[in-house]
Structure formats: structure tokens, C-alpha cells
Amino acid sequence: MLNSIFYLQKRVKSRFLSGKKLLTLSFILCSLFAKADYWTQKADFPGGTKPEAVCFVIGTKGYVGTGGITSNSFWEYDPDNNIWTQKANIGGFGRHAAVGFALNNKGYIGLGSNPTQGFLVDFWEYDPSINTWTAKANFPGSPRASPISFSINNFGYVGLGLDNSLNEFNDFWQYNPLNNSWVQKANFATFPRWYAVGFCINLKGYVCAGFDSTGSKNDLWEYNPYNDSWSQKADFIGTPRLSPCAFSLNNSGYVGTGLDINNTCYQDFYQYNPSNNSWSQITNFGGSPRSGASSFSINNKGYVGLGRPSSTFIDFWEYIPDSTITPDSTLAPQDSTTENSSITISPNPFTTTTTLQIPEELLKENCTLTIFDATGKKVFQSEIKNPKTEITRKGLADGIYIYRVMSKEKILGSGKMVVE
């Protein structure tokens, strides 16, 4: 059985078993181990094999559902207690290669394929507070499987994929949960593709890898929702591949696993740094090589598991990034919007001034207000001393900003603020 912790080989080419003591260079090695990134095996997924399942995060819990061929089961992972709990089955049909995202403390799952129903366009909303699913507006594009998705600024984004006639797509759509509507956005900038992966860093979306009419891909594209545009970034430095997995941590993206056109699966993993548009290889995924894995991040840790081709892939792994990599405190966190109806900004949009209003009882918690611009950079921070706080534009350019109200280490609420 594989050892549960794998340390970065380029830093320390050593693997040790529990119970053994290091007899030499212990101080140096311990220092290196403390700085290296590593994977630790966690509780196995109890819901059976689920290649190409949907996954997302709500609060501090991860969720995994659908996958396989006809599965509609849905599970919650609690990283604090390393426990899986089965939740209500998703609405509609079981499905394979569907898509999902989380918005405003709700989860969304849709599209995918079912062996008797064909390719689907339905979408469903999950409310974890009452453990129920509600049908939402159908996806307005063509039925499809293997699309990509991410969420930014309280909107969900879905696109790409293919249908049962092997037609590939590059259309791209935005979902607004407030009015339960879809709006078509700028098409993906290059050829239609499927089995790509999507993730988000600092209010920008990213699409990487996949397969199109020219073969397996290793390109990376950035989507800017502010001006609805795509721009190409540095190519993924691993082997071109399809069906990898991805997550975001500490203002970086992580992409790994997947398979190539020869059906060779991989376990290598890479980090993308948007600040200098560069990739670097990190320690390999702790489990066996695979594709169609599930992945998400919670509290600055990544999680990867399940997948194919093995019928026994129910393992689940936690990734701890290199402790020498310090998160940039001037950048917005990945969970940049957490709605709280008791915290408001009005008027919004505004031209010169607006007012932040919070419940008076929250003042006892020494709240702070932080504002980030569209790139994720912190542009303002101040202690909140009154239930009503005037905010002036203070030289801010017209555009979309994110405000965050925080008490100690807890985000009380955040949302979009528009200066015009």
C-alpha cells in the first residue's frame, strides 16, 4: 500500500515509514519536510466509484455527486472531522460528466448524460440548510456532457462540452441565481472542446487542457467577466491531456492527473501563478494515476479523489501546499462573495459615496471592511466603528469591486460594489 504522505522529491528524495527515526541530519531534514508540500490520504469515499462526478464547496464542506453512469447520489465531506455524510439525491435523473458550481451558499448541478434519457439540459439547486433540491431554469444551450464551469461574483459560468453526435461546443453562458436566468457571453476564444477543466483565481476564470479537433491540449485561457473577454496565458507545462482535475489555493491554480490520447493516465501536478503567468511542478498526486477525478479546496487545502480507470478508486487525498509559499494578503480570497442579508451597501452602484450598514451587535466583534478591485488586489481596509459607515470612492476608478466584512478569521459577508 502506498505510504500516505508523499514529499516533494526535488527537495527531499527520501520516503520514511511511521515509527522509524532519522539517525542523521535530523534537524536539516525536519526543516525541509516542514517546508515541502505533501499529500495525505483521508477517509475513503463511501458512495462507490464515481468517475467524472460533480463537486463544489459550500462554506467549509465539500460536496460530491453524480458520476459513474447513472448515479444521482450526493455526499458531503467534512474536512475538520474527516467524515462523509450522504445527503438527499440530486433532483432529476442520475447523470455522468455533468457540471456544477456553488453560489451564495447554494450548490448547482446540471447537464451531463443519462443512458436512457440522453444528454440533458436541466439544472438543480441544492440548499444545504434544508437538504433539498429545487429545479431551476434549464440551460439554454444545446444538451451536452463534459462541459466546464466556475463561479465569479455571485454568477455561475458554464460552457464547452460535446453532445451525443460528438458535436463540440465553445459557447459560454452566465447563470444569475437572483432572477434564475441565463445570458450568453463571449464564446471560448479557440476551437470548441470538451474534457477541459475550469477554475477561478481572484475574480478571473481559467480553462485548461481538454480535447478538440486538433487533439489533446495544454493551453490555458483566462476569462475576464468585467469586460467579457478571453486572453491566452502561459501553456500548461505538463503533457497535453484531457479530463484532468483542478482547484485553487492561495491565489494560485493547481492542475493535475488526467490522461493523454494514448489512454495513459497521469499523477503529476502543477501550480499556476497568475501574478507572473508561470507554471511550476509540485509533488505528484498521492494516489494512483487517474483521470476524471473530483477536486476542490477548503481552508487553504486541496482535495482530490475518485476517478478512473480503476473500479476501486474510492480513495481521497488532502494536499498541503509548501509552507514557504506565503499567501498574498493583498489579494482577495477565493470565497470572495458570501452574501449576508443583514449587511448591505446602498446605493449600489454609486458615483461619489455609498453607505455600508451592519447590525449593531456585530460591532462587538471588531469588524473590518476590506475592498478589492477587479484584479483581486486590496485597495482599502478600515475598522468598522458604527452601524452605518460612509464609503467614498477615494480616487477609485469606475468598475466592479468586492467588499468583505470580517470578524477575526470569519467572513461575515461580502459582495459586489460598483463605482460608476
Side-chain angles (χ1 to χ4, degrees), residues 344-348 350 353-357 387-392:
T344 62
I345 281 187
S346 181
N348 190 12
F350 70 97
T353 63
T354 188
T355 300
L356 169 73
Q357 185 166 340
K388 293 185 178 182
T389 301
E390 184 178 82
I391 302 172
T392 65

Side-chain angles (χ1 to χ4, degrees), residues 106-118:
K106 305 282 181 66
Y108 297 84
I109 289 179
L111 306 183
S113 66
N114 177 282
T116 60
Q117 302 299 317

Side-chain angles (χ1 to χ4, degrees), residues 2 8 109 125 129 206 243 258 276 285 289 336 350 352 362 391:
L2 290 174
L8 187 60
I109 289 179
E125 178 188 82
S129 66
Y206 294 86
S243 200
N276 60 12
F285 169 60
S336 56
F350 70 97
T352 55
L362 292 184
I391 302 172

Side-chain angles (χ1 to χ4, degrees), residues 33-66:
F33 287 146
K35 294 180 180 179
D37 59 338
Y38 60 92
W39 296 86
T40 303
Q41 190 165 5
K42 311 303 287 186
D44 285 347
F45 178 70
T49 57
K50 277 182 173 291
E52 295 170 1
V54 170
C55 49
F56 49 74
V57 171
I58 303 175
T60 58
K61 305 291 177 62
Y63 294 86
V64 176
T66 71

Side-chain angles (χ1 to χ4, degrees), residues 17 38 41 45-46 80 113 123 165 187 191 237 239 249 270 296 305 324 331 338 340 350 357 380 387 392 396 418:
L17 300 174
Y38 60 92
Q41 190 165 5
F45 178 70
D80 292 335
S113 66
F123 247 84
S165 299
N187 284 352
F191 295 110
I237 59 176
T239 302
L249 284 178
Y270 302 83
F296 50 78
T324 63
L331 297 179
T338 307
N340 184 332
F350 70 97
Q357 185 166 340
F380 176 80
T392 65
L396 297 178
V418 180

Side-chain angles (χ1 to χ4, degrees), residues 117-164:
Q117 302 299 317
F119 285 59
L120 306 170
V121 294
D122 57 334
F123 247 84
W124 296 80
E125 178 188 82
Y126 177 70
D127 186 340
S129 66
I130 54 177
N131 190 31
T132 59
W133 293 88
T134 303
K136 309 305 287 187
N138 285 350
F139 177 72
S142 300
R144 68 192 66 187
S146 303
I148 62 94
S149 68
F150 44 74
S151 56
I152 304 173
N153 259 353
N154 295 325
F155 294 101
Y157 294 87
V158 176
L160 287 65
L162 83 165
D163 64 16
N164 58 351

